[in-house]
Amino acid sequence: MNAKILIILTGGTIAMKTAPQLGIVPTSEFADFLRSFPQLKDVADVDVMEYSNIPSPYMTPQMMFDLAKTIDRQILEYDGVVCTHGTDTVEETAFLCDLVLTTRKPVVFTAAMRSGSDLGLDGPRNIIGSVRVASNPESYDKGVLVVMNDEIHTARDVTKTDTGKVDAFQSLGYGPLGYVDPDRIVYHRSTLYRENVWTDKLDTNIDLIKACAGMDGRYIHCSIAHGTKGIVIEAFGRGNLPSYLVPDIITAIQNKIVVVICTRAYTGRVLDEYGYEGGGRHLQSTGAISGGDLRGIKARLKLMALFGKYHDPNEVRKFFAGSMQ
Ligand code: ASP
């Protein structure tokens, strides 16, 4: 018997075409295309739900969260869900869903680097691959997955690494969980690190600041003045910053702001190694907490979920610090 899969459409290039004079823009044809896509019928019993039709730079954390709630409700009637999305922010939406979803059934995000007007378009192939992954019993309880270019990635590890290539998505440092072959879905590893933050709401008052050589504290001042609840800083290397930012970080912490130190490097963990002023060990002694191997954009979403769940910054600190790799 075929699996029952719901495809939820949110927009992105996968649902776009080239319009004369305008360039690549959303169309309303994608849902109908999928409903009459013959190869899909061989793979699963598919329903299509139009959720939104936006370019993914328009996606907000609140919209991602509302989508997660929709998935949790809808999946009760299905064996799995495939969600189509724009590539620009799919890793964020997939990660937030991974944190907050309560279902253990397969939830797969997919997208396309090429629009419906492009030669060698990847959207239909990615859809078929995703529906096959969502229909596969081995995909149960693997967390939210992202299927692109015949590869299966975890939402936590995957990132968009290229602006134009079809193989734009990689799980840097870890590699994909598996791949989509013509005869079967092949899983060749599993992820040992899984986490959930089950919450009824998000608190989006969290900032992300990227370190660069010679930067001053103006963005940290701005966050403090704005009354932000958490600041994620993508620091250098193992999680180091210049000494002259330390007083600003201490002021933020004194203002009960949770400060999380991630790295702007592409792979590896933040570690309390360097003892010089502003070094990772020194920053952690001021009360800043380590983001481990989580990239800044994902640490920001995790703080949003944690502040949605706990009002007390100490609870957030405790959970965050205790859950890091
Ligand atoms: N700008 C597009 C989006 O994220 C890119 C894509 O889907 O590939 O909506």
Side-chain angles (χ1 to χ4, degrees), residues 10-16 24 26 54-58 85-90 110-115 122 148 160 163 169:
T10 69
T13 297
I14 197 164
M16 296 190 196
I24 299 173
I54 55 167
S56 76
Y58 293 10
H85 200 284
T87 59
D88 289 342
T89 60
V90 66
T110 195
M113 294 297 291
R114 294 176 178 156
S115 79
D122 51 335
M148 291 288 293
K160 183 174 179 178
T163 57
F169 284 81

PDB file of all heavy atoms in Angstrom, residues 10-16 24 26 54-58 85-90 110-115 122 148 160 163 169, ligand 1:
ATOM      1  N   THR A  10       5.092  26.384   0.362  1.00  0.00           N
ATOM      2  CA  THR A  10       5.265  27.718   0.983  1.00  0.00           C
ATOM      3  C   THR A  10       5.784  28.756  -0.008  1.00  0.00           C
ATOM      4  O   THR A  10       5.797  29.934   0.303  1.00  0.00           O
ATOM      5  CB  THR A  10       6.236  27.662   2.186  1.00  0.00           C
ATOM      6  OG1 THR A  10       7.558  27.408   1.710  1.00  0.00           O
ATOM      7  CG2 THR A  10       5.824  26.615   3.206  1.00  0.00           C
ATOM      8  N   GLY A  11       6.284  28.296  -1.167  1.00  0.00           N
ATOM      9  CA  GLY A  11       6.816  29.252  -2.154  1.00  0.00           C
ATOM     10  C   GLY A  11       8.248  28.909  -2.513  1.00  0.00           C
ATOM     11  O   GLY A  11       8.658  27.759  -2.426  1.00  0.00           O
ATOM     12  N   GLY A  12       9.030  29.919  -2.908  1.00  0.00           N
ATOM     13  CA  GLY A  12      10.421  29.697  -3.310  1.00  0.00           C
ATOM     14  C   GLY A  12      10.554  29.515  -4.807  1.00  0.00           C
ATOM     15  O   GLY A  12       9.558  29.436  -5.543  1.00  0.00           O
ATOM     16  N   THR A  13      11.777  29.405  -5.249  1.00  0.00           N
ATOM     17  CA  THR A  13      12.079  29.266  -6.678  1.00  0.00           C
ATOM     18  C   THR A  13      11.404  28.044  -7.288  1.00  0.00           C
ATOM     19  O   THR A  13      11.064  28.024  -8.468  1.00  0.00           O
ATOM     20  CB  THR A  13      13.614  29.171  -6.863  1.00  0.00           C
ATOM     21  OG1 THR A  13      14.177  30.389  -6.404  1.00  0.00           O
ATOM     22  CG2 THR A  13      14.017  28.941  -8.298  1.00  0.00           C
ATOM     23  N   ILE A  14      11.212  27.018  -6.470  1.00  0.00           N
ATOM     24  CA  ILE A  14      10.582  25.787  -6.951  1.00  0.00           C
ATOM     25  C   ILE A  14       9.191  26.084  -7.524  1.00  0.00           C
ATOM     26  O   ILE A  14       8.699  25.380  -8.403  1.00  0.00           O
ATOM     27  CB  ILE A  14      10.536  24.743  -5.804  1.00  0.00           C
ATOM     28  CG1 ILE A  14      10.293  23.336  -6.337  1.00  0.00           C
ATOM     29  CG2 ILE A  14       9.528  25.114  -4.720  1.00  0.00           C
ATOM     30  CD1 ILE A  14      10.626  22.235  -5.326  1.00  0.00           C
ATOM     31  N   ALA A  15       8.554  27.170  -7.029  1.00  0.00           N
ATOM     32  CA  ALA A  15       7.213  27.553  -7.499  1.00  0.00           C
ATOM     33  C   ALA A  15       7.265  28.806  -8.377  1.00  0.00           C
ATOM     34  O   ALA A  15       6.253  29.485  -8.553  1.00  0.00           O
ATOM     35  CB  ALA A  15       6.305  27.795  -6.290  1.00  0.00           C
ATOM     36  N   MET A  16       8.449  29.125  -8.917  1.00  0.00           N
ATOM     37  CA  MET A  16       8.585  30.368  -9.704  1.00  0.00           C
ATOM     38  C   MET A  16       8.900  30.070 -11.162  1.00  0.00           C
ATOM     39  O   MET A  16       9.345  28.976 -11.512  1.00  0.00           O
ATOM     40  CB  MET A  16       9.705  31.237  -9.112  1.00  0.00           C
ATOM     41  CG  MET A  16       9.442  31.735  -7.699  1.00  0.00           C
ATOM     42  SD  MET A  16      10.677  32.970  -7.202  1.00  0.00           S
ATOM     43  CE  MET A  16      10.421  32.998  -5.425  1.00  0.00           C
ATOM     44  N   ILE A  24      12.768  36.253 -12.419  1.00  0.00           N
ATOM     45  CA  ILE A  24      12.113  35.083 -11.814  1.00  0.00           C
ATOM     46  C   ILE A  24      11.161  35.548 -10.712  1.00  0.00           C
ATOM     47  O   ILE A  24      11.570  36.238  -9.776  1.00  0.00           O
ATOM     48  CB  ILE A  24      13.174  34.115 -11.248  1.00  0.00           C
ATOM     49  CG1 ILE A  24      14.092  33.622 -12.369  1.00  0.00           C
ATOM     50  CG2 ILE A  24      12.509  32.928 -10.556  1.00  0.00           C
ATOM     51  CD1 ILE A  24      15.276  32.798 -11.902  1.00  0.00           C
ATOM     52  N   PRO A  26       7.207  34.561  -8.410  1.00  0.00           N
ATOM     53  CA  PRO A  26       6.248  33.497  -8.054  1.00  0.00           C
ATOM     54  C   PRO A  26       5.145  33.343  -9.101  1.00  0.00           C
ATOM     55  O   PRO A  26       4.744  34.324  -9.738  1.00  0.00           O
ATOM     56  CB  PRO A  26       5.648  33.993  -6.732  1.00  0.00           C
ATOM     57  CG  PRO A  26       6.653  34.945  -6.172  1.00  0.00           C
ATOM     58  CD  PRO A  26       7.307  35.595  -7.368  1.00  0.00           C
ATOM     59  N   ILE A  54       5.484  32.522  -1.116  1.00  0.00           N
ATOM     60  CA  ILE A  54       6.380  33.671  -0.927  1.00  0.00           C
ATOM     61  C   ILE A  54       7.828  33.297  -1.267  1.00  0.00           C
ATOM     62  O   ILE A  54       8.229  32.145  -1.128  1.00  0.00           O
ATOM     63  CB  ILE A  54       6.339  34.179   0.537  1.00  0.00           C
ATOM     64  CG1 ILE A  54       6.663  33.046   1.522  1.00  0.00           C
ATOM     65  CG2 ILE A  54       5.002  34.829   0.848  1.00  0.00           C
ATOM     66  CD1 ILE A  54       6.947  33.515   2.927  1.00  0.00           C
ATOM     67  N   PRO A  55       8.606  34.280  -1.690  1.00  0.00           N
ATOM     68  CA  PRO A  55      10.051  34.059  -1.758  1.00  0.00           C
ATOM     69  C   PRO A  55      10.546  33.870  -0.323  1.00  0.00           C
ATOM     70  O   PRO A  55      10.066  34.565   0.589  1.00  0.00           O
ATOM     71  CB  PRO A  55      10.596  35.371  -2.341  1.00  0.00           C
ATOM     72  CG  PRO A  55       9.415  36.146  -2.833  1.00  0.00           C
ATOM     73  CD  PRO A  55       8.225  35.674  -2.063  1.00  0.00           C
ATOM     74  N   SER A  56      11.484  32.965  -0.101  1.00  0.00           N
ATOM     75  CA  SER A  56      11.802  32.654   1.296  1.00  0.00           C
ATOM     76  C   SER A  56      12.539  33.760   2.049  1.00  0.00           C
ATOM     77  O   SER A  56      12.549  33.725   3.280  1.00  0.00           O
ATOM     78  CB  SER A  56      12.498  31.305   1.418  1.00  0.00           C
ATOM     79  OG  SER A  56      13.835  31.373   1.018  1.00  0.00           O
ATOM     80  N   PRO A  57      13.130  34.784   1.375  1.00  0.00           N
ATOM     81  CA  PRO A  57      13.616  35.914   2.178  1.00  0.00           C
ATOM     82  C   PRO A  57      12.472  36.635   2.911  1.00  0.00           C
ATOM     83  O   PRO A  57      12.723  37.406   3.838  1.00  0.00           O
ATOM     84  CB  PRO A  57      14.272  36.835   1.140  1.00  0.00           C
ATOM     85  CG  PRO A  57      14.718  35.906   0.065  1.00  0.00           C
ATOM     86  CD  PRO A  57      13.610  34.869  -0.013  1.00  0.00           C
ATOM     87  N   TYR A  58      11.223  36.417   2.497  1.00  0.00           N
ATOM     88  CA  TYR A  58      10.082  37.042   3.202  1.00  0.00           C
ATOM     89  C   TYR A  58       9.698  36.249   4.465  1.00  0.00           C
ATOM     90  O   TYR A  58       8.875  36.693   5.252  1.00  0.00           O
ATOM     91  CB  TYR A  58       8.834  37.079   2.313  1.00  0.00           C
ATOM     92  CG  TYR A  58       8.862  37.974   1.096  1.00  0.00           C
ATOM     93  CD1 TYR A  58      10.020  38.593   0.661  1.00  0.00           C
ATOM     94  CD2 TYR A  58       7.694  38.193   0.359  1.00  0.00           C
ATOM     95  CE1 TYR A  58      10.031  39.401  -0.477  1.00  0.00           C
ATOM     96  CE2 TYR A  58       7.690  38.996  -0.763  1.00  0.00           C
ATOM     97  CZ  TYR A  58       8.867  39.590  -1.184  1.00  0.00           C
ATOM     98  OH  TYR A  58       8.852  40.380  -2.300  1.00  0.00           O
ATOM     99  N   HIS A  85       9.870  24.939  -0.197  1.00  0.00           N
ATOM    100  CA  HIS A  85      10.320  26.190   0.425  1.00  0.00           C
ATOM    101  C   HIS A  85      11.343  26.837  -0.494  1.00  0.00           C
ATOM    102  O   HIS A  85      11.899  26.180  -1.378  1.00  0.00           O
ATOM    103  CB  HIS A  85      10.976  25.805   1.765  1.00  0.00           C
ATOM    104  CG  HIS A  85      11.082  26.896   2.778  1.00  0.00           C
ATOM    105  ND1 HIS A  85      12.019  27.898   2.703  1.00  0.00           N
ATOM    106  CD2 HIS A  85      10.381  27.120   3.904  1.00  0.00           C
ATOM    107  CE1 HIS A  85      11.880  28.706   3.751  1.00  0.00           C
ATOM    108  NE2 HIS A  85      10.884  28.257   4.505  1.00  0.00           N
ATOM    109  N   GLY A  86      11.645  28.098  -0.276  1.00  0.00           N
ATOM    110  CA  GLY A  86      12.767  28.731  -0.973  1.00  0.00           C
ATOM    111  C   GLY A  86      14.081  28.280  -0.356  1.00  0.00           C
ATOM    112  O   GLY A  86      14.147  27.978   0.840  1.00  0.00           O
ATOM    113  N   THR A  87      15.113  28.249  -1.174  1.00  0.00           N
ATOM    114  CA  THR A  87      16.404  27.766  -0.656  1.00  0.00           C
ATOM    115  C   THR A  87      17.069  28.753   0.298  1.00  0.00           C
ATOM    116  O   THR A  87      17.900  28.366   1.111  1.00  0.00           O
ATOM    117  CB  THR A  87      17.399  27.487  -1.810  1.00  0.00           C
ATOM    118  OG1 THR A  87      17.585  28.693  -2.550  1.00  0.00           O
ATOM    119  CG2 THR A  87      16.916  26.376  -2.707  1.00  0.00           C
ATOM    120  N   ASP A  88      16.704  30.039   0.167  1.00  0.00           N
ATOM    121  CA  ASP A  88      17.461  31.050   0.933  1.00  0.00           C
ATOM    122  C   ASP A  88      17.330  30.881   2.441  1.00  0.00           C
ATOM    123  O   ASP A  88      18.279  31.158   3.177  1.00  0.00           O
ATOM    124  CB  ASP A  88      17.008  32.471   0.531  1.00  0.00           C
ATOM    125  CG  ASP A  88      17.464  32.838  -0.878  1.00  0.00           C
ATOM    126  OD1 ASP A  88      18.392  32.174  -1.390  1.00  0.00           O
ATOM    127  OD2 ASP A  88      16.901  33.787  -1.462  1.00  0.00           O
ATOM    128  N   THR A  89      16.166  30.484   2.920  1.00  0.00           N
ATOM    129  CA  THR A  89      15.986  30.352   4.373  1.00  0.00           C
ATOM    130  C   THR A  89      15.494  28.959   4.783  1.00  0.00           C
ATOM    131  O   THR A  89      15.081  28.770   5.922  1.00  0.00           O
ATOM    132  CB  THR A  89      14.994  31.411   4.924  1.00  0.00           C
ATOM    133  OG1 THR A  89      13.731  31.237   4.276  1.00  0.00           O
ATOM    134  CG2 THR A  89      15.505  32.822   4.717  1.00  0.00           C
ATOM    135  N   VAL A  90      15.566  27.992   3.870  1.00  0.00           N
ATOM    136  CA  VAL A  90      15.005  26.673   4.207  1.00  0.00           C
ATOM    137  C   VAL A  90      15.710  26.054   5.411  1.00  0.00           C
ATOM    138  O   VAL A  90      15.088  25.374   6.233  1.00  0.00           O
ATOM    139  CB  VAL A  90      15.011  25.726   2.982  1.00  0.00           C
ATOM    140  CG1 VAL A  90      16.403  25.353   2.516  1.00  0.00           C
ATOM    141  CG2 VAL A  90      14.195  24.469   3.266  1.00  0.00           C
ATOM    142  N   THR A 110      12.123  20.505   1.085  1.00  0.00           N
ATOM    143  CA  THR A 110      12.866  20.518  -0.168  1.00  0.00           C
ATOM    144  C   THR A 110      12.650  21.847  -0.873  1.00  0.00           C
ATOM    145  O   THR A 110      11.812  22.669  -0.467  1.00  0.00           O
ATOM    146  CB  THR A 110      12.503  19.315  -1.064  1.00  0.00           C
ATOM    147  OG1 THR A 110      13.498  19.210  -2.093  1.00  0.00           O
ATOM    148  CG2 THR A 110      11.124  19.457  -1.694  1.00  0.00           C
ATOM    149  N   ALA A 111      13.417  22.063  -1.931  1.00  0.00           N
ATOM    150  CA  ALA A 111      13.425  23.357  -2.604  1.00  0.00           C
ATOM    151  C   ALA A 111      14.020  23.144  -3.992  1.00  0.00           C
ATOM    152  O   ALA A 111      14.195  21.993  -4.413  1.00  0.00           O
ATOM    153  CB  ALA A 111      14.288  24.326  -1.790  1.00  0.00           C
ATOM    154  N   ALA A 112      14.302  24.218  -4.692  1.00  0.00           N
ATOM    155  CA  ALA A 112      14.953  24.086  -5.998  1.00  0.00           C
ATOM    156  C   ALA A 112      15.879  25.272  -6.211  1.00  0.00           C
ATOM    157  O   ALA A 112      15.578  26.386  -5.777  1.00  0.00           O
ATOM    158  CB  ALA A 112      13.918  24.031  -7.117  1.00  0.00           C
ATOM    159  N   MET A 113      16.982  25.013  -6.854  1.00  0.00           N
ATOM    160  CA  MET A 113      17.903  26.098  -7.209  1.00  0.00           C
ATOM    161  C   MET A 113      17.519  26.699  -8.556  1.00  0.00           C
ATOM    162  O   MET A 113      17.931  27.797  -8.895  1.00  0.00           O
ATOM    163  CB  MET A 113      19.339  25.571  -7.265  1.00  0.00           C
ATOM    164  CG  MET A 113      19.875  25.128  -5.910  1.00  0.00           C
ATOM    165  SD  MET A 113      19.982  26.494  -4.726  1.00  0.00           S
ATOM    166  CE  MET A 113      21.300  27.474  -5.449  1.00  0.00           C
ATOM    167  N   ARG A 114      16.731  25.937  -9.346  1.00  0.00           N
ATOM    168  CA  ARG A 114      16.350  26.425 -10.681  1.00  0.00           C
ATOM    169  C   ARG A 114      14.842  26.547 -10.760  1.00  0.00           C
ATOM    170  O   ARG A 114      14.112  25.667 -10.287  1.00  0.00           O
ATOM    171  CB  ARG A 114      16.867  25.463 -11.752  1.00  0.00           C
ATOM    172  CG  ARG A 114      18.381  25.435 -11.811  1.00  0.00           C
ATOM    173  CD  ARG A 114      18.876  24.416 -12.810  1.00  0.00           C
ATOM    174  NE  ARG A 114      20.328  24.439 -12.868  1.00  0.00           N
ATOM    175  CZ  ARG A 114      21.086  23.425 -13.255  1.00  0.00           C
ATOM    176  NH1 ARG A 114      20.507  22.301 -13.644  1.00  0.00           N
ATOM    177  NH2 ARG A 114      22.390  23.532 -13.285  1.00  0.00           N
ATOM    178  N   SER A 115      14.394  27.582 -11.407  1.00  0.00           N
ATOM    179  CA  SER A 115      12.949  27.827 -11.511  1.00  0.00           C
ATOM    180  C   SER A 115      12.317  26.901 -12.547  1.00  0.00           C
ATOM    181  O   SER A 115      13.019  26.203 -13.296  1.00  0.00           O
ATOM    182  CB  SER A 115      12.708  29.277 -11.927  1.00  0.00           C
ATOM    183  OG  SER A 115      12.904  29.402 -13.317  1.00  0.00           O
ATOM    184  N   ASP A 122      15.616  21.427 -11.204  1.00  0.00           N
ATOM    185  CA  ASP A 122      15.803  20.401 -10.181  1.00  0.00           C
ATOM    186  C   ASP A 122      14.572  20.192  -9.299  1.00  0.00           C
ATOM    187  O   ASP A 122      14.515  19.230  -8.532  1.00  0.00           O
ATOM    188  CB  ASP A 122      17.023  20.738  -9.305  1.00  0.00           C
ATOM    189  CG  ASP A 122      17.009  22.162  -8.757  1.00  0.00           C
ATOM    190  OD1 ASP A 122      16.362  23.034  -9.374  1.00  0.00           O
ATOM    191  OD2 ASP A 122      17.649  22.412  -7.722  1.00  0.00           O
ATOM    192  N   MET A 148      17.830  17.556  -0.962  1.00  0.00           N
ATOM    193  CA  MET A 148      18.192  18.371  -2.128  1.00  0.00           C
ATOM    194  C   MET A 148      19.220  17.601  -2.930  1.00  0.00           C
ATOM    195  O   MET A 148      20.138  16.997  -2.351  1.00  0.00           O
ATOM    196  CB  MET A 148      18.848  19.686  -1.680  1.00  0.00           C
ATOM    197  CG  MET A 148      17.938  20.677  -0.992  1.00  0.00           C
ATOM    198  SD  MET A 148      16.753  21.469  -2.105  1.00  0.00           S
ATOM    199  CE  MET A 148      17.776  22.473  -3.167  1.00  0.00           C
ATOM    200  N   LYS A 160      23.090  26.275   3.184  1.00  0.00           N
ATOM    201  CA  LYS A 160      23.225  26.631   1.767  1.00  0.00           C
ATOM    202  C   LYS A 160      24.631  27.188   1.568  1.00  0.00           C
ATOM    203  O   LYS A 160      24.999  28.182   2.188  1.00  0.00           O
ATOM    204  CB  LYS A 160      22.161  27.665   1.380  1.00  0.00           C
ATOM    205  CG  LYS A 160      22.178  28.039  -0.104  1.00  0.00           C
ATOM    206  CD  LYS A 160      21.020  28.954  -0.475  1.00  0.00           C
ATOM    207  CE  LYS A 160      21.081  29.336  -1.942  1.00  0.00           C
ATOM    208  NZ  LYS A 160      19.963  30.187  -2.366  1.00  0.00           N
ATOM    209  N   THR A 163      25.351  30.057  -4.167  1.00  0.00           N
ATOM    210  CA  THR A 163      24.198  30.871  -4.568  1.00  0.00           C
ATOM    211  C   THR A 163      23.505  30.340  -5.823  1.00  0.00           C
ATOM    212  O   THR A 163      22.364  30.721  -6.093  1.00  0.00           O
ATOM    213  CB  THR A 163      24.621  32.322  -4.854  1.00  0.00           C
ATOM    214  OG1 THR A 163      25.635  32.292  -5.874  1.00  0.00           O
ATOM    215  CG2 THR A 163      25.161  32.992  -3.600  1.00  0.00           C
ATOM    216  N   PHE A 169      23.620  22.564  -1.225  1.00  0.00           N
ATOM    217  CA  PHE A 169      23.383  22.255   0.199  1.00  0.00           C
ATOM    218  C   PHE A 169      24.368  21.213   0.720  1.00  0.00           C
ATOM    219  O   PHE A 169      24.545  20.159   0.117  1.00  0.00           O
ATOM    220  CB  PHE A 169      21.936  21.798   0.413  1.00  0.00           C
ATOM    221  CG  PHE A 169      21.005  22.981   0.378  1.00  0.00           C
ATOM    222  CD1 PHE A 169      20.591  23.509  -0.827  1.00  0.00           C
ATOM    223  CD2 PHE A 169      20.631  23.602   1.549  1.00  0.00           C
ATOM    224  CE1 PHE A 169      19.787  24.637  -0.864  1.00  0.00           C
ATOM    225  CE2 PHE A 169      19.829  24.728   1.525  1.00  0.00           C
ATOM    226  CZ  PHE A 169      19.404  25.248   0.316  1.00  0.00           C
TER     227      PHE A 169
HETATM  228  N1  ASP B   1      15.178  33.456  -3.518  1.00  0.00           N
HETATM  229  C1  ASP B   1      14.621  32.148  -3.611  1.00  0.00           C
HETATM  230  C2  ASP B   1      13.895  31.810  -2.317  1.00  0.00           C
HETATM  231  O1  ASP B   1      14.540  31.443  -1.362  1.00  0.00           O
HETATM  232  C3  ASP B   1      15.698  31.186  -3.855  1.00  0.00           C
HETATM  233  C4  ASP B   1      15.256  29.771  -3.998  1.00  0.00           C
HETATM  234  O2  ASP B   1      14.185  29.344  -3.666  1.00  0.00           O
HETATM  235  O3  ASP B   1      16.097  29.010  -4.494  1.00  0.00           O
HETATM  236  O4  ASP B   1      12.690  31.928  -2.287  1.00  0.00           O
END
